[in-house]
Amino acid sequence: MAGSRVPRQLFLQGVAAVFMFAFASLYTQIPGLYGPEGILPARRTLRPQGKGRWQQLWETPTLLWEAPLLGLDTAQGLELLSLLGTVLALGALLTRQLRHPLVYLLLWAAYLSVCQVGQVFLYFQWDSLLLETGFLAMLVAPLGLPPNHKQAPQGRPGGVSPHEGLPFWLVRWLLFRLMFASGVVKLTSRCPAWWGLTALTYHYETQCLPTPAAWFAHHLPVWLHKLSVVATFLIEIAVPPLFFAPVRRLRLAAFYSQVLLQVLIILTGNYNFFNLLTLVLTTALLDDTHLAAKSSTSRRKRMPSSWPKALLAMLTLLLELAVYGLLACGMVHYFGLEVDWEQHVVRSRTMFTFHQLSQWLKTVTLPTMWLGAASLAWELLTALWRWVQVRGSLRKLCAAVQLSVFGTATVALFLISLVPYSYMEPSSHGRLWTGAHRLFSTVEHLQLANSYGLFRRMTGLGGRPEVVLEGSYDGHQWTEIEFMYKPGNLSRPPPIVVPHQPRLDWQMWFAALGPHTHSPWFTSLVLRLLQGKEPVIRLVQNHVPSYPFHQQPPTYVRAQLYKYWFSHPWEQGQWWRRQWVEEFFPSVSLGDPALDMLLRQFGLQDKSPPRAGGSSNTLSQALHWVRKQLSPLEAPALLWGLLGAVGAIKVMQALLGPQSLPRTKEEKHKPAPQEDSVAASKQASPAPNISSGSQTPRRKKSP
């Protein structure tokens, strides 16, 4: 089997990049979301309950309990963690030496600490996915045995620890759980748009933050939208079992299908770092052989020479063709695909019922768990075989300890993950081993394993609901308060903000799906706008002069509910059209009894003023100085700047890499590798006859 050293490094770099984006994006929003003058001040979430220090830390695992020891309040502690997380992730992205388990443990602990006080603004599936992936990265990051190239078995590089493939297998299992569950819940939700294959006719304009490309995708033919939904079900439900296929070309085909889906989502929607993180997870489907640059000559050398190998290659090819044919026939059968040659369209419709789906799900849920268990067992046997090949008593002992620890951790995490995975099928959930349930309940608050199910139901079937805030000085003339990213102005094109997540804009999208009482934080937002708090204003408009009430806060604030649609192609100069629906939030002012009643009802009255004494602290002053320097930058510009800096440094590293450095004295006297000497002898000798295949050395072909 081909190695996975390069994919593991790509995975670790990708996780570091996503952590960098997540921390930096959150840092720009902390004052407005969690500061003393923010929408949901973080200090309210951490109040000692008279418990012991370690019990308190276990029940609410956050490093922010220690912020007072540094002279910081909770919001300042959030800023410190976000800055340190950004710098540490940047270092791991740029420097291989920092891709160490301890570094990823710190990144995971910092983000878990942030999520504990993040409240509703950090209740997103991708935050849980990042925590789970970050913990796996800690296990994937190499500890490393002392390199011993002389005693490495033939065909395997020296210095490879036997356990290295085990944690990386968990990444593949996580990708399977994410994609398979995301596909299944679309059907188990009984959403008429998914069952009618019309979901994408609504999705592009009703998603939270569309991109300009979403406008063009929305106006594609309906039959193509329906065919795209069929392709989505194929990629999310039928393809994921191929992640564990013994034939590597099937795994690579699954890899490219997942990449295609994620790239299309990135082009048409601003889903922050979620799709980037999913792409990082797909590296678990790759191997060193696929990522290595191979010439056509090398490929010819790998052609099987003996008849057993040729027969195996032929059977493997037939298996691949059978799988592709089965997938194609399944899509045609279950979705009634027909080509209408007269209309030049492909017609599709769902050919199964919800009852049939439920029976199928009961049939396949446990087998998919056994599929994962069988694949994990193979990885464990492979790791054990590699341990047997280790030479040297000390190295063998170290490898045995590592294999025992990481093998146990891998099996335990697999068992834990079965519990949230089985949520999609209740009967299978009830038949799980009780030990797995107990183990999961013990560590559930650490978010080591989570349930997933994205785009469960399609919203906005009758038009995209959108909340529009308005302010007034006299209660008669109202001015709309336009946000930087969410739809508002009909003539403003949708923005591109990836990988930033404007968390207030996202929650405004959720708030529009129900009454304002379902979103208590909205009342606090109205209060802060009436008070004219600059940190909250910067969440709405980072360039404060662009905010219509920057000179004086509005006397009255209200909110209206509209339905938004993409404009028609013939409507020039407009991206949106809208229609008023109803009043979302009544007109209120400071001291209004209705506003005070809502604040009391939701427990949002600020009865605990911020602690004094931290403003003169040196660390606090340093945080204030950094905030002052970065506040003029919009969050997407800051993140793109970080990305550009990383790219520039990577280019410099490539130009000034080891190949351009002078060789040491030992390297000068070191004999040339065998491959180089063979290549040199080939250049000196006449070219062999192409027909004499026996003169050409051959390599074993990996499955």
Side-chain angles (χ1 to χ4, degrees), residues 314-329:
M314 180 61 66
L315 293 177
T316 301
L317 179 60
L318 291 176
L319 176 62
E320 292 179 44
L321 294 177
V323 170
Y324 297 143
L326 184 63
L327 291 176
C329 292

Side-chain angles (χ1 to χ4, degrees), residues 262-587:
Q262 299 306 317
V263 169
L264 291 176
I265 296 176
I266 291 174
L267 292 175
T268 56
N270 288 290
Y271 289 96
N272 49 83
F273 58 79
F274 166 62
N275 302 110
L276 300 177
L277 182 55
T278 306
L279 287 173
V280 170
L281 294 177
T282 61
T283 57
L285 304 177
L286 299 174
D287 54 53
D288 292 338
T289 303
H290 183 68
L291 294 176
K294 298 291 183 181
S295 64
S296 58
T297 304
S298 300
R299 293 191 183 98
R300 285 199 301 268
K301 292 179 181 179
R302 296 205 313 267
M303 292 298 292
S305 55
S306 59
W307 71 264
K309 293 181 179 180
L311 178 60
L312 179 62
M314 180 61 66
L315 293 177
T316 301
L317 179 60
L318 291 176
L319 176 62
E320 292 179 44
L321 294 177
V323 170
Y324 297 143
L326 184 63
L327 291 176
C329 292
M331 289 300 102
V332 171
H333 175 72
Y334 288 109
F335 292 99
L337 299 183
E338 296 178 353
V339 179
D340 188 335
W341 297 105
E342 295 183 359
Q343 301 294 329
H344 298 93
V345 299
V346 178
R347 304 193 183 279
S348 55
R349 63 188 184 278
T350 306
M351 303 294 291
F352 52 90
T353 64
F354 183 80
H355 176 72
Q356 291 173 326
L357 171 71
S358 300
Q359 293 301 316
W360 174 83
L361 197 56
K362 289 179 181 179
T363 304
V364 303
T365 301
L366 283 178
T368 56
M369 297 182 190
W370 285 112
L371 173 64
S375 179
L376 176 57
W378 176 258
E379 292 292 335
L380 288 169
L381 291 175
T382 303
L384 187 61
W385 173 249
R386 288 174 177 169
W387 175 77
V388 171
Q389 293 178 320
V390 174
R391 298 293 180 263
S393 301
L394 181 60
R395 287 174 55 82
K396 203 176 189 72
L397 177 62
C398 292
V401 173
Q402 291 183 5
L403 181 57
S404 301
V405 172
F406 283 89
T408 303
T410 301
V411 173
L413 287 173
F414 173 70
L415 289 175
I416 291 171
S417 69
L418 294 179
V419 177
Y421 171 70
S422 62
Y423 286 162
M424 62 183 180
E425 211 290 294
S427 64
S428 300
H429 180 74
R431 285 188 286 173
L432 275 181
W433 179 47
T434 55
H437 285 281
R438 289 196 299 267
L439 192 59
F440 174 75
S441 61
T442 302
V443 299
E444 183 178 5
H445 63 295
L446 299 178
Q447 300 192 49
L448 302 183
N450 306 278
S451 61
Y452 302 101
L454 297 163
F455 308 109
R456 186 185 302 267
R457 296 189 64 88
M458 195 55 55
T459 60
L461 301 187
R464 172 198 181 96
E466 198 68 54
V467 174
V468 176
L469 279 162
E470 297 177 338
S472 173
Y473 290 119
D474 56 9
H476 298 289
Q477 295 182 346
W478 295 89
T479 303
E480 291 189 7
I481 299 175
E482 186 175 355
F483 283 65
M484 286 184 289
Y485 308 115
K486 81 179 194 69
N489 190 333
L490 303 182
S491 60
R492 190 187 66 178
I496 299 178
V497 298
V498 169
H500 172 57
Q501 181 182 1
R503 295 183 180 265
L504 176 58
D505 295 64
W506 268 85
Q507 285 301 331
M508 290 288 289
W509 182 81
F510 283 106
L513 301 179
H516 71 86
T517 53
H518 291 179
S519 304
W521 59 268
F522 190 85
T523 303
S524 182
L525 170 64
V526 171
L527 173 66
R528 295 310 191 195
L529 294 178
L530 287 170
Q531 295 172 338
K533 299 301 183 182
E534 183 175 328
V536 176
I537 292 174
R538 286 188 174 274
L539 294 178
V540 178
Q541 286 290 339
N542 189 69
H543 185 56
V544 176
S546 300
Y547 181 67
F549 301 98
H550 66 278
Q551 294 181 341
Q552 180 183 349
T555 307
Y556 303 93
V557 169
R558 69 180 185 185
Q560 305 289 344
L561 183 65
Y562 286 86
K563 288 291 183 71
Y564 273 64
W565 298 270
F566 272 139
S567 62
H568 297 294
W570 59 81
E571 294 177 300
Q572 298 296 326
Q574 283 195 335
W575 289 83
W576 299 95
R577 52 191 177 91
R578 73 180 185 182
Q579 179 181 345
W580 180 84
V581 178
E582 62 182 357
E583 185 179 67
F584 180 78
F585 194 90
S587 173

Side-chain angles (χ1 to χ4, degrees), residues 19 47 78 137 165 198 214 218 235 251 332 336 338 344 384 423-424 463 466 485 487 501 522 586 595 625-626 643 672:
F19 266 123
R47 293 176 178 172
L78 275 173
T198 59
H218 176 73
I235 294 174
R251 298 195 301 270
V332 171
E338 296 178 353
H344 298 93
L384 187 61
Y423 286 162
M424 62 183 180
E466 198 68 54
Y485 308 115
Q501 181 182 1
F522 190 85
L595 178 61
W625 180 85
V626 173
L643 185 60

Side-chain angles (χ1 to χ4, degrees), residues 186-202:
K186 291 177 174 61
L187 295 172
T188 56
S189 67
R190 302 196 184 194
C191 175
W194 286 116
W195 277 87
L197 307 182
T198 59
L200 292 184
T201 61
Y202 307 102

